[in-house]
Amino acid sequence: MKQVEGRIKQIFEQVVRRNPGEAEFHQAVKEVIDCLGPVLVKHPHYADQKIIERICEPERQIIFRVPWIDDHGEVHINRGFRVQFNSVLGPYKGGLRFHPSVYLGIIKFLGFEQIFKNAVTGMPIGGAKGGSDFDPKGRSDAEVMRFCQSFMTELHRHLGEYTDVPAGDIGVGAREIGYLFGQFKRMTNRYESGVITGKSPLWGGALVRRESTGYGCVFFVDEMLKARGQSLEGMTCVVSGSGNVAIYAMEKLQQLGAKVVACSDSNGVIHDATGIKLDTVKRLKEVERRRIRDYVQVHREAHYSEGGCIWDIACQVAIPGATENELDERAARTLLANGCIAVGEGANMPSTPGAVKLFVESGIAYGPGKAANGGGVSTSALEMQQNASRDAWTFEFTEQRLREIMSNIHRSCYETAEEYGSPGNYVIGANIAGFKRVAEAMLAFGVI
Ligand code: NDP
């Protein structure tokens, strides 16, 4: 085991050396490979064939210029990215993020996570991620359209339903997916529905895709609680963010009888002890594109805290649903001290390594994003299935499929954690289960 640990340390040092300045990517790699010691001991040929080293190197990285003109005639230049990380299980699959914080290291961390997340779903999809440092906030629809058209003018040549299938992520919702698909169709003269997911159900999108990451995350939490003889009913919950993932996590929590008392955006936190009124959040965020602080204009009983920390609000279930590293060690300590018994990560890598350590050591039900937020990409795969067969499923049927997939992801992580001597540790379960599926396919394909 000592020898294997030395090897893993060497691999990590090499990743840091070869990818300087990409802190989030380093963090994501470390989290995965630190779980793999027992796997290499059991399967030494993974080490001989340098599977980990190969997985850490993306198959292809595309970086491109995205010039566009704003409503006043001024020219802007953004940078576009697509990191096609691994395609042994299927076409590259992973969302696009438009946010000013985007740089290569963010896209690589997200793409790397996506490989294992997609593998754990059991669906035939590879891992990728993309995006741009473009900020859609405050931009008119026409500006967002011109940006999306310019972005797709370059990206289209790298996509295809059998090659690479993007979807949404932060800053890329139904509006952006529409503009992106429209430009793809125009450039290629092909109505290739399966080239992008998260489309409107009016033109090839799957019902439930919009709800799927949030719903799926809550289903995962429900499974973790069930495994402990508990349920969500009556639980007090806090959900960070108020975007796609957060809104539909809140919706499913409420449907399952839990009480959501807080949500947030990047400016501040709403605490509504009488229960968050989701209709208001949806109107503010999905329709009017306003700030969450405006919630208190309608619901005077609620409290808004500018720059506040949502994790200071006492809850039994916490769903980080905003962004990476939003929940640090101090926040984790506060959550645990306030009686939190379950954390389900709707966002990607929202907990810092210190917070993860505390959650795992405390023995609470902790579902890492790689497992808990896999409902989004799974429903994207269901959308691809419907596109390939030119079919459209009902909401009820699709939600039932999502529920089953989340239950399977839970079982796979749970059983793998037990097999490797860490019962109840979903971090180990998800990382090992995902890694093994990818590793086996890579071995089968030879050195490629
Ligand atoms: P949205 O853009 O719809 O919403 C993001 C939310 O998080 C907004 O409330 C936003 O606030 C907040 N937020 C974003 N960046 C920051 C930041 N730096 N600090 C504080 N708050 C921030 O994105 P999604 O809901 O789609 O994505 C949320 C998370 O879920 C991301 O980690 C994403 O990678 C992950 N995810 C998404 C999937 C999907 O299907 N959409 C699938 C799997 C994971 P504001 O409006 O003020 O910026």
Side-chain angles (χ1 to χ4, degrees):
M1 187 68 184
K2 270 244 147 354
Q3 207 182 348
V4 163
E5 278 166 3
R7 171 87 183 249
I8 286 173
K9 190 164 170 271
Q10 255 176 12
I11 295 174
F12 181 65
E13 284 165 3
Q14 195 183 5
V15 166
V16 172
R17 223 178 15 256
R18 286 169 61 81
N19 304 274
E22 298 176 358
E24 297 82 1
F25 178 51
H26 304 161
Q27 185 183 334
V29 169
K30 185 157 176 37
E31 194 221 84
V32 173
I33 69 177
D34 278 356
C35 294
L36 298 181
V39 185
L40 293 193
V41 170
K42 212 166 164 177
H43 305 273
H45 52 299
Y46 290 165
D48 300 341
Q49 292 297 315
K50 299 201 174 168
I51 296 289
I52 302 181
E53 290 92 325
R54 280 197 264 158
I55 288 184
C56 289
E57 187 69 26
E59 288 176 11
R60 189 175 298 107
Q61 307 184 56
I62 303 148
I63 303 180
F64 51 100
R65 178 171 66 199
V66 190
W68 58 282
I69 299 175
D70 71 18
D71 289 345
H72 310 286
E74 190 183 333
V75 174
H76 296 261
I77 295 109
N78 284 99
R79 189 169 290 174
F81 302 91
R82 186 71 180 166
V83 175
Q84 299 177 328
F85 231 114
N86 196 296
S87 62
V88 284
L89 295 179
Y92 302 110
K93 184 85 197 84
L96 297 172
R97 174 177 292 191
F98 292 168
H99 193 272
S101 63
V102 164
Y103 77 106
L104 187 59
I106 292 275
I107 300 299
K108 274 163 78 174
F109 119 63
L110 289 163
F112 186 76
E113 291 261 307
Q114 198 82 44
I115 305 171
F116 306 99
K117 181 195 307 190
N118 294 4
V120 178
T121 68
M123 325 269 301
I125 39 182
K129 202 81 187 189
S132 174
D133 55 359
F134 172 70
D135 187 359
K137 233 175 266 158
R139 291 291 172 193
S140 69
D141 284 352
E143 289 175 323
V144 170
M145 180 185 73
R146 286 195 292 275
F147 174 80
C148 288
Q149 290 177 340
S150 181
F151 185 85
M152 189 52 92
T153 298
E154 170 57 32
L155 191 64
H156 84 280
R157 68 188 92 248
H158 307 288
L159 306 182
E161 64 178 315
Y162 296 107
T163 309
D164 185 354
V165 183
D169 191 78
I170 291 179
V172 179
R175 172 182 62 172
E176 290 76 15
I177 294 290
Y179 294 145
L180 290 164
F181 181 65
Q183 184 70 358
F184 179 88
K185 190 179 81 58
R186 188 180 179 201
M187 306 279 309
T188 58
N189 194 29
R190 282 165 66 87
Y191 205 108
E192 192 178 326
S193 301
V195 76
I196 197 162
T197 58
K199 300 181 293 295
S200 158
L202 289 175
W203 37 272
L207 290 170
V208 193
R209 176 59 187 90
R210 180 182 61 178
E211 293 84 357
S212 58
T213 308
Y215 278 21
C217 180
V218 174
F219 290 150
F220 192 88
V221 171
D222 198 37
E223 294 286 339
M224 291 197 297
L225 290 177
K226 262 203 246 154
R228 294 160 179 249
Q230 293 169 310
S231 100
L232 273 166
E233 185 148 11
M235 294 268 177
T236 300
C237 310
V238 157
V239 179
S240 67
S242 50
N244 174 263
V245 173
I247 286 176
Y248 293 97
M250 290 193 269
E251 184 164 283
K252 188 48 74 182
L253 285 168
Q254 293 180 346
Q255 286 173 8
L256 295 182
K259 184 176 185 185
V260 183
V261 296
C263 65
S264 62
D265 65 14
S266 56
N267 291 111
V269 176
I270 291 290
H271 184 190
D272 187 342
T274 65
I276 290 284
K277 300 353 171 250
L278 206 50
D279 285 351
T280 306
V281 179
K282 283 186 182 178
R283 177 172 55 75
L284 289 173
K285 288 297 181 178
E286 291 187 329
V287 183
E288 298 170 0
R289 298 182 191 275
R290 282 164 62 187
R291 308 309 301 157
I292 201 68
R293 71 168 76 88
D294 296 343
Y295 181 96
V296 291
Q297 290 173 5
V298 191
H299 304 290
R300 303 253 171 219
E301 66 280 14
H303 175 74
Y304 175 70
S305 151
E306 180 81 16
C309 175
I310 195 166
W311 313 119
D312 291 343
I313 297 169
C315 64
Q316 289 154 299
V317 175
I319 311 270
T323 195
E324 61 275 359
N325 293 327
E326 56 164 311
L327 197 169
D328 62 12
E329 202 173 318
R330 186 204 68 80
R333 260 183 230 292
T334 309
L335 280 169
L336 293 171
N338 285 338
C340 179
I341 58 160
V343 175
E345 293 185 342
N348 284 311
M349 208 169 77
S351 307
T352 62
V356 175
K357 190 162 178 283
L358 280 175
F359 289 146
V360 170
E361 283 171 2
S362 73
I364 64 161
Y366 167 64
K370 222 171 270 140
N373 72 34
V377 75
S378 302
T379 312
S380 277
L382 299 182
E383 184 169 329
M384 292 162 73
Q385 282 184 35
Q386 290 168 74
N387 293 149
S389 58
R390 304 199 184 282
D391 198 357
W393 305 344
T394 63
F395 193 95
E396 292 70 27
F397 177 72
T398 317
E399 187 180 0
Q400 183 53 32
R401 290 286 312 266
L402 170 63
R403 179 110 232 186
E404 287 161 12
I405 291 167
M406 294 316 296
S407 169
N408 291 341
I409 295 175
H410 177 268
R411 190 177 328 110
S412 163
C413 297
Y414 190 89
E415 289 176 358
T416 307
E418 286 212 319
E419 184 190 337
Y420 282 87
S422 303
N425 186 332
Y426 294 93
V427 178
I428 287 191
N431 284 331
I432 294 184
F435 173 78
K436 278 179 66 182
R437 192 163 173 237
V438 176
E440 284 301 320
M442 289 180 75
L443 282 177
F445 290 175
V447 180
I448 58 167

